[in-house]
């Protein structure tokens, strides 16, 4: 009896931990938390084995769909063996989800679990998520920062929205079942707070998903047909008009949102097009489970575009990775959910549907809608929430044994589950042990700066897992850092590691660029050109890589290729001719554009640098574009204010620049601004030194900020934030900023010009 009383609180604590921490990317990436996750898998597996002495194995609604899913996974592996290591990572999580499905459904079927306990566990887990989300908004407001898109404890606004889409029907459903006034008030506040936070996420997919989920809940939970029949015509008309206006306003808001900077529809269409192209290349079996990230890099310019691990649409994503077989499995899963929905709808029309089933159906409908516009279910937390939702929707209202649910005669099912659980545990322990050692080596290297020794230590891990591409890639970066610090022996070793990485993962431009830089360091000019050509073929929109390609081609004596590369770099970044060293080459000098061809930002800066303050002021009245981010634009306004002698306004613009920093580019601009606002030479020199150090970057400092996602969400591992070794000379900063800090005397000349008599 005591054991049964403990089941509910233990279950709630377990699920709350998994959703809040364990199944988030933080839980997956952090070694200590990963060990806890493995311990939970082991504990659940042992508890499951113990219960099988008394439980009767029951058929589940998804048995056939799961068989087809497994077939799709196996086919994607067999037909894409070159990507087997990536696919293996995906298979581990798919095995975990299948196991969780059977554990939950069988526990419900045998009376060891109640669906309301699952709902309560998710609601309890949601309390800190919602609290942290509002805390993030409050901190931004009190610090006079731009209103952020809150992320709660989940690290991403769209992921938070996916959680809230499920949370809203859960909270609303429990609100209707409560009898205590205090419970009703608390749940009403909880529901309202969840809805308000969802709006603040600015997730349009989340908004649409919540609208669908709550609409389904209202239709199934209340006797809408009877209520509608009793309404007078005038009230019916008012309802129709009100709903129509609500839909119209919502549609207008969503449509208008696409015109906001950084929120255009183009942010999704290139992902959809990539998914369709990948599907077209392998329509039957797909490219392989968990391989979309590599395919995206193969077909698009990364950098400067952002790496992703999914297509932001579940149908297109399944098509790309698992082909037609995967789409059949997805369709069958959807069919099971739709059958339950129609059955419940008939019950709701005839008399009354089970309110708990209604909660599950509504939440799953909202979740599924959201996955059509995004795919936050790639995070295990959201996948497990969806799984819980589906279990609530399709599981029997009481235990299957009590209601006569048929027992399965297939004894191999629990045996197969036991074997699968054992495989998950063994591989999970092995992976957690490797990950702990790997992170420790990288951490120690950053502290000791013994980069070459750290690369050697990683070799033992690379030997145990030779096809895990992240190991040689990180070794190569460590060796590149060692070479940059004056270790000549590290250069050849770095070449070998990057050759291994590009063999395993040929679709990433950073690997080829790093390889090219090390070949160049060895004096192997043609090898450097060949490797960098691979890089620019993969990332033709990166001015920094294209420019470096020209440098290597010129060093190899291929002036035609070099000239084409330099011109392409100028076309990509209009201020490339401002970067230090451009005029050191005759080829580059011949291609130097007129000042009128520079960006508005670059032209204004050059005018200010020459002391042409009045001309800069006049030009800036109509031309203010060209900075990479908002902080850069505010920095330019600060410079213009200084050129007028208005230090108070300049200080205000610097404060705005600081409050709008979202990138390394913005952070460095604020350092430059602080230097130019300094009242004495010593303070100016100190601030400039800080800015120049930031321009070069610490060994582990990120250079391609979006590139960190490759390790985090595609390899599910921590990694050195730097994506390019220093020898590549990669930048994604304003070229005018690079000019100011990299060109000898440039920032000093600007300060002198701004404080000249003409500027006062």
């Amino acid at each position: 009896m005591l054991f049964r009383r403990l089941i509910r609180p233990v279950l709630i604590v377990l699920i709350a931990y998994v959703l809040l921490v364990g199944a988030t990317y933080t839980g997956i990436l952090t070694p200590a938390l990963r060990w806890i996750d493995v311990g939970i898998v082991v504990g659940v597996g042992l508890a499951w084995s113990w219960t099988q002495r008394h439980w009767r194995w029951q058929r589940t609604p998804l048995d056939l769909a799961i068989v087809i899913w497994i077939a799709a996974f196996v086919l994607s592996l067999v037909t894409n063996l070159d990507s087997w290591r990536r696919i293996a990572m995906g298979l581990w999580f798919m095995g975990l989800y299948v196991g969780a499905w059977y554990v939950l459904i069988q526990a419900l079927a045998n009376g060891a679990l109640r669906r309301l306990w699952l709902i309560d566990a998710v609601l309890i887990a949601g309390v800190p998520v919602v609290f942290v989300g509002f805390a993030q908004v409050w901190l931004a407001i009190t610090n006079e920062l731009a209103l952020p898109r809150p992320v709660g404890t989940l690290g991403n606004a769209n992921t938070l929205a996916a959680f809230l889409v499920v949370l809203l029907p859960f909270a609303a459903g429990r609100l209707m079942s409560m009898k205590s006034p205090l419970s009703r008030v608390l749940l009403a506040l909880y529901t309202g707070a969840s809805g308000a936070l969802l709006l603040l996420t600015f997730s349009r997919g989340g908004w649409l998903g919540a609208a669908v989920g709550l609409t389904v809940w209202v239709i199934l939970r209340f006797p809408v047909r009877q209520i509608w029949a009793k309404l007078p015509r005038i009230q019916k008309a008012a309802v129709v008009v009100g709903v129509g206006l609500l839909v119209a306003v919502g549609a207008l808001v969503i449509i208008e949102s696409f015109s906001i900077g950084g929120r255009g529809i183009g942010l999704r269409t290139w992902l959809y097009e990539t998914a369709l192209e990948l599907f077209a290349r392998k329509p039957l079996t797909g490219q392989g489970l968990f391989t979309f990230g590599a395919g995206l890099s193969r077909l698009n310019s990364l950098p400067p575009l952002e790496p992703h691990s999914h297509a932001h649409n579940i149908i297109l994503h399944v098509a790309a990775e698992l082909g037609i077989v995967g789409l059949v499995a997805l369709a069958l899963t959807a069919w099971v959910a739709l059958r339950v929905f129609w059955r419940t709808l008939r019950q709701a029309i005839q008399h009354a549907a089970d309110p708990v089933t209604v909660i599950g159906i509504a939440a799953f409908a909202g979740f599924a809608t959201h996955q059509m516009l995004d795919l936050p279910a790639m995070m295990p937390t959201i996948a497990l929430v969806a799984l819980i939702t589906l279990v609530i929707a399709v599981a029997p209202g009481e235990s299957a044994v009590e209601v006569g649910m048929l027992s399965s005669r297939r004894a191999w099912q629990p045996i197969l589950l036991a074997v699968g659980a054992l495989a998950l545990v063994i591989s999970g322990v092995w992976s957690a042990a490797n990950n702990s050692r790997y992170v420790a080596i990288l951490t120690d290297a950053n502290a000791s700066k013994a980069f070459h020794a750290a690369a050697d230590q990683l070799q033992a891990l690379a030997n145990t897992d030779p096809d895990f591409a992240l190991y040689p890639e990180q070794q190569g970066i460590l060796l590149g850092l060692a070479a940059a610090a004056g270790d000549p022996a590290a250069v050849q070793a770095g070449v070998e590691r990057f050759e291994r990485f590009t063999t395993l993962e040929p679709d990433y431009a950073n690997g080829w660029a790093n390889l090219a830089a090390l070949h160049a360091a060895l004096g192997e000019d043609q090898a450097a050109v060949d490797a960098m050509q691979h890089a620019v073929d993969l990332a033709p929109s990166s001015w920094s890589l294209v420019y470096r390609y020209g440098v290597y081609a010129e060093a190899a004596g291929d002036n035609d290729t070099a000239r084409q590369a330099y011109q392409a770099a100028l076309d990509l970044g209009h201020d490339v001719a401002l970067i230090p060293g451009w005029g050191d080459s005759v080829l580059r000098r011949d291609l130097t554009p007129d000042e009128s061809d520079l960006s508005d930002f670059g032209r204004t800066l050059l005018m200010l640098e020459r002391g042409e303050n009045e001309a800069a002021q006049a030009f800036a009245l109509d031309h203010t574009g060209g900075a990479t981010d908002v902080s850069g634009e505010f920095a330019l306004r600060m410079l213009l204010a200084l050129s007028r002698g208005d230090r108070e306004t300049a200080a205000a613009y610097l404060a705005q620049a600081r409050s709008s920093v979202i990138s390394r580019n913005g952070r460095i601009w604020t350092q430059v601004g602080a230097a130019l606002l300094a009242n004495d030479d010593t303070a100016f020199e100190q601030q400039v030194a800080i800015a120049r150090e930031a321009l070069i970057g610490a060994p582990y400092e990120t250079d391609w900020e979006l590139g960190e996602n490759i390790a985090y969400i595609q390899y599910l591992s921590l990694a050195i934030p730097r994506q390019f070794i220093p020898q590549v000379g990669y930048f994604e900063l304003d070229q005018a900023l690079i000019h100011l800090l990299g060109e000898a005397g440039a920032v000093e000349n600007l300060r002198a010009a701004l404080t000249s008599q003409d500027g006062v």
Side-chain angles (χ1 to χ4, degrees), residues 83 103 275 295 298 379 382 395 440 464 502 526 565 581 596 616 619 661 688 716:
S83 302
V103 167
R298 183 164 62 251
M379 178 186 279
I382 304 304
T464 62
T502 53
Q526 190 55 51
S596 60
F619 181 77
V661 167
V688 168
L716 302 180

Side-chain angles (χ1 to χ4, degrees), residues 54-315:
H54 308 292
W55 285 6
R56 292 169 58 190
W57 186 269
Q58 310 297 329
R59 297 178 185 174
T60 80
L62 288 182
D63 283 347
L64 178 58
I66 287 173
V67 170
I68 299 177
W69 277 117
I70 293 173
F73 299 152
V74 172
L75 284 172
S76 80
L77 173 61
V78 171
T79 57
N80 297 282
L81 286 175
D82 55 329
S83 302
W84 81 267
R85 188 60 181 84
R86 275 179 173 272
I87 296 172
M89 286 188 286
L91 285 176
W92 195 93
F93 285 93
M94 294 302 106
L96 180 69
Y97 301 150
V98 170
W101 163 262
Y102 279 113
V103 167
L104 291 175
I105 207 81
Q106 297 300 329
L108 284 166
N110 284 274
L113 186 61
R114 291 289 181 267
R115 293 180 299 164
L116 281 177
W117 299 356
L118 297 174
I119 293 174
D120 291 343
V122 174
L123 289 173
I124 291 171
V127 172
V129 174
V130 173
F131 176 81
V132 172
F134 276 111
Q136 291 163 348
V137 174
W138 176 253
L139 286 174
I141 293 174
T142 54
N143 288 282
E144 298 182 353
L145 301 176
L147 191 65
R149 296 179 65 197
V151 300
T153 62
L154 302 177
N156 181 276
N158 291 326
T159 306
L160 173 60
F163 185 80
L164 295 172
V165 165
V166 172
L167 203 64
L168 279 170
F170 278 22
R174 289 298 275 150
L175 170 62
M176 295 301 299
S177 66
M178 290 295 174
K179 301 187 182 301
S180 165
L182 178 59
S183 298
R184 281 179 170 268
V185 170
L186 291 176
L187 274 167
L189 291 173
Y190 189 13
T191 306
S194 300
L197 189 62
L198 176 60
L199 291 176
L200 291 173
T201 65
F202 211 78
S203 170
R204 292 162 294 199
W207 294 348
L208 187 59
V212 170
L214 291 175
T215 299
V216 169
W217 179 72
V218 169
I219 291 173
L220 297 180
R221 181 65 177 80
F222 300 100
V224 175
R225 185 176 181 181
Q226 292 88 332
I227 294 173
W228 179 259
K230 294 178 181 179
L231 287 178
R233 288 184 178 179
I234 187 65
Q235 292 184 7
K236 289 181 179 179
V239 170
V240 171
V241 172
V243 171
L245 286 174
L246 186 63
V247 171
V249 170
L252 286 174
V253 169
I254 291 176
I255 292 171
E256 183 64 24
S257 70
F258 288 109
S259 63
I260 299 175
R263 300 288 291 167
I265 194 170
L267 293 175
R268 291 289 184 268
T269 54
W270 72 285
L271 298 172
Y272 300 158
E273 291 168 358
T274 298
L276 289 171
E277 175 64 22
L278 292 173
F279 173 65
R281 294 186 179 191
K282 273 195 172 181
L284 182 60
T285 61
Q287 301 289 327
L289 184 67
F290 205 50
T291 63
F292 182 81
L296 187 75
S297 184
R298 183 164 62 251
L299 299 179
N300 299 276
S301 182
L302 276 67
L305 293 176
E306 180 179 2
H308 291 272
S309 60
H310 59 83
H312 286 67
N313 176 284
I314 191 168
I315 296 175

Side-chain angles (χ1 to χ4, degrees), residues 332-403:
L332 187 55
T333 305
W335 173 247
V336 170
L338 285 172
R339 281 174 53 192
V340 176
F341 170 77
W342 288 118
R343 184 175 67 237
T344 307
L345 179 60
R346 289 197 303 269
Q347 292 172 353
I349 292 173
Q350 293 171 3
H351 42 85
D354 173 40
V356 180
T357 301
V358 167
I359 292 173
I361 292 173
F364 191 75
F367 164 82
T369 301
H370 190 188
Q371 306 311 299
M372 298 297 293
L373 301 168
D374 203 345
L375 200 52
M378 289 295 289
M379 178 186 279
T381 284
I382 304 304
L384 290 171
V385 167
L387 186 66
I388 290 171
T389 301
L390 188 59
V391 165
I392 294 168
V394 305
E398 301 294 337
S399 79
V401 175
E402 294 170 2
V403 300

Side-chain angles (χ1 to χ4, degrees), residues 659-736:
S659 69
S660 60
V661 167
I662 58 173
S663 66
R664 178 169 169 247
N665 187 82
R667 289 191 295 273
I668 300 176
W669 266 122
T670 60
Q671 289 292 342
V672 172
L676 294 172
L677 268 175
N679 292 316
D680 58 78
D681 292 344
T682 301
F684 168 76
E685 291 170 0
Q686 289 175 342
Q687 293 293 339
V688 168
I690 294 172
R692 282 180 170 146
E693 185 177 347
L695 181 71
I696 298 170
Y700 272 25
E701 186 172 353
T702 181
D703 41 17
W704 174 27
E705 291 188 301
L706 298 176
E708 295 179 75
N709 285 339
I710 294 175
Y712 298 161
I713 63 177
Q714 295 184 20
Y715 293 113
L716 302 180
S717 297
L718 292 172
I720 298 171
R722 176 181 291 274
Q723 303 299 309
F724 296 92
I725 60 176
Q727 295 89 331
V728 174
Y730 175 82
F731 289 107
E732 56 178 358
L733 308 173
D734 291 334
Q735 291 114 29

Side-chain angles (χ1 to χ4, degrees), residues 442-582:
L442 293 185
T443 303
D444 291 345
N446 191 34
S448 66
K449 301 299 184 284
F451 300 123
H452 198 149
D456 291 341
Q457 292 170 16
L458 278 180
Q459 189 58 45
L461 290 175
N463 292 338
T464 62
D465 194 0
D467 291 329
F468 189 49
L470 198 60
Y471 290 153
E473 195 255 358
Q474 295 296 285
Q475 286 179 291
I477 291 179
L478 288 168
L479 291 164
L481 293 172
D487 180 359
V491 180
Q492 183 59 49
V495 167
E496 293 170 1
R497 300 325 297 154
F498 279 120
E499 285 179 342
R500 176 61 179 164
F501 173 66
T502 53
T503 298
L504 293 172
E505 292 286 6
D507 300 321
Y508 290 103
N510 56 332
W512 290 106
N514 291 331
L515 177 60
L518 292 177
H519 275 307
L522 290 172
E524 299 169 350
D525 294 332
Q526 190 55 51
V529 171
D530 294 341
M532 188 57 81
Q533 183 174 358
H534 282 290
V536 298
D537 286 345
L538 289 165
S541 298
S542 171
W543 71 266
S544 188
L545 297 183
V546 173
Y547 170 77
R548 188 60 55 183
Y549 179 44
V551 171
Y552 293 156
E554 187 174 4
D558 189 350
N559 290 344
D560 290 339
T561 298
R563 187 178 293 104
Q564 292 173 6
Y566 291 143
Q567 186 58 58
L570 288 169
D571 294 339
L572 290 168
H574 294 297
D575 295 336
V576 169
L578 296 180
I579 66 175
W582 175 268

